[in-house]
Amino acid sequence: MDKKHPTIDDLENRLLATGAKPVHIQGIWRKYLSGKPMGEQGRYAYPQQVQQELECIQKELDQIKILTSSRGSDGVRMVLKLSDGEMIESVLLPPSGLCISTQVGCAVGCLFCMSGKAGLIRQLTDLEIVSEVALARRMQPVNKVVFMGMGEPAHNIRSVLSAVNLLAKYSGIGYKNLVVSTVGDKRLFDQLRNAEIKPALAISLHSMIEEKRRKLLPNAPNISIEEILSFGREYAKLGGYPIQYQWTLVSGVNDTDEELDKLFSQWDGQYAVLNMIPVNSVEGSLFKRPD
């Protein structure tokens, strides 16, 4: 096993090798995802070998730690240090939400986004992703998780959907309160279309004008706005839950009447919410918040 970046399967295989039963592993996940240490003795004790392995695993997981936390207008921003020293961000959102990262860095390079300026550094494993939830629950209740932090979930599909499945089974968070965000990717759309557990979906739209959207999201997959909206209609029907379209409002860029007219002209049949968020003005950036 790669001790630096273990996965959910790695951990379960280690426990099975020590004699753990499936019922033990289910209880271990419920405990860990509630924010408690894996090795903590519950009502029923684990077999000795399993308990010893759990304590070793917990020491490894403790290498993922909250380095700093600061309260802002949108919640509590936490910088997490991973076992290899890389940093990611999670944000506790009021009253009981959590925004988590899926990659260290990001390859999409949205012009208004700071977390992708350095490009993609590495993928997070599914275990690292769910550990963000476990750590956050040590600080406050978490009843909703949005995969909207650092990274593009579609570029880490296997780990993201594995994390979604584990959280849906053992965290007590309903799968409609697990929100996967994407700039739009046919590979992710195909996976979600066939998935047994269908999380809520948020799609970063940002513009209804193809050329402008490609400039704002320079490394996004080659998928048209029409294809994105078409899948949104389909997935909302499959899951029985509205799509959330994200729109970062930038003064003079995508806050025009032309954008609204194009949006309205293609909005028919959408079971969706449009979430418009004024851009965060950052020193040195040409992108400013609308008045």
Side-chain angles (χ1 to χ4, degrees):
M1 172 182 139
D2 180 353
K3 292 282 184 83
K4 186 179 287 187
H5 309 310
T7 67
I8 289 169
D9 282 347
D10 290 332
L11 187 149
E12 291 188 351
N13 288 335
R14 284 174 65 178
L15 291 171
L16 289 169
T18 63
K21 307 294 186 189
V23 67
H24 293 146
I25 292 175
Q26 292 167 13
I28 288 164
W29 282 127
R30 289 190 181 97
K31 183 182 296 180
Y32 181 60
L33 293 175
S34 73
K36 297 175 183 176
M38 274 193 176
E40 181 181 280
Q41 289 283 359
R43 183 177 176 185
Y44 302 104
Y46 300 117
Q48 185 177 2
Q49 279 187 296
V50 175
Q51 182 65 39
Q52 290 173 346
E53 188 64 26
L54 275 177
E55 290 170 3
C56 292
I57 290 171
Q58 186 61 58
K59 288 179 182 177
E60 294 167 18
L61 290 173
D62 285 343
Q63 294 180 57
I64 304 173
K65 58 186 68 177
I66 299 172
L67 200 61
T68 64
S69 63
S70 57
R71 185 170 295 278
S73 58
D74 57 350
V76 178
R77 291 186 172 272
M78 301 180 295
V79 175
L80 274 56
K81 184 177 181 181
L82 304 176
S83 60
D84 60 356
E86 296 290 355
M87 310 287 187
I88 57 172
E89 274 195 347
S90 297
V91 183
L92 288 165
L93 305 168
S96 58
L98 175 68
C99 177
I100 62 174
S101 296
T102 57
Q103 297 176 304
V104 182
C106 182
V108 177
C110 300
L111 298 187
F112 46 78
C113 177
M114 295 304 294
S115 65
K117 293 298 182 185
L120 176 64
I121 297 171
R122 75 167 175 87
Q123 307 282 18
L124 294 185
T125 68
D126 49 6
L127 183 56
E128 288 174 316
I129 292 170
V130 299
S131 292
E132 296 179 67
V133 180
L135 284 171
R137 279 186 154 178
R138 295 179 188 178
M139 299 182 66
Q140 72 173 43
V142 172
N143 297 316
K144 183 173 186 176
V145 176
V146 292
F147 293 68
M148 294 184 188
M150 292 173 66
E152 164 53 49
H155 293 172
N156 194 11
I157 295 175
R158 183 177 298 179
S159 291
V160 167
L161 294 185
S162 175
V164 165
N165 288 339
L166 194 82
L167 291 169
K169 289 178 181 176
Y170 302 121
S171 72
I173 301 171
Y175 65 97
K176 294 307 180 188
N177 280 328
L178 300 171
V179 185
V180 176
S181 176
T182 179
V183 296
D185 190 304
K186 293 177 184 177
R187 296 168 301 175
L188 177 62
F189 290 170
D190 287 342
Q191 292 272 348
L192 291 174
R193 191 180 275 119
N194 300 312
E196 181 181 356
I197 294 175
K198 289 183 167 54
L201 181 64
I203 302 178
S204 297
L205 200 53
H206 305 309
S207 177
M208 288 295 297
I209 301 167
E210 295 283 3
E211 184 179 357
K212 185 189 298 182
R213 188 173 187 269
R214 282 194 292 271
K215 287 181 179 178
L216 289 172
L217 285 63
N219 300 318
N222 185 20
I223 181 171
S224 70
I225 293 169
E226 183 179 351
E227 288 176 294
I228 289 171
L229 294 176
S230 176
F231 178 78
R233 293 185 186 94
E234 177 191 348
Y235 191 70
K237 289 178 182 177
L238 285 173
Y241 199 73
I243 303 297
Q244 182 182 128
Y245 288 106
Q246 304 285 91
W247 193 292
T248 300
L249 277 171
V250 183
S251 180
V253 175
N254 61 357
D255 60 348
T256 63
D257 289 343
E258 180 187 11
E259 291 278 15
L260 280 178
D261 289 342
K262 285 183 176 292
L263 183 66
F264 292 149
S265 71
Q266 295 192 47
W267 197 250
D268 284 351
Q270 285 291 344
Y271 180 33
V273 174
L274 183 66
N275 187 22
M276 288 189 165
I277 309 168
V279 70
N280 284 323
S281 297
V282 178
E283 187 176 352
S285 173
L286 298 176
F287 296 113
K288 305 299 179 185
R289 294 168 71 92
D291 59 21

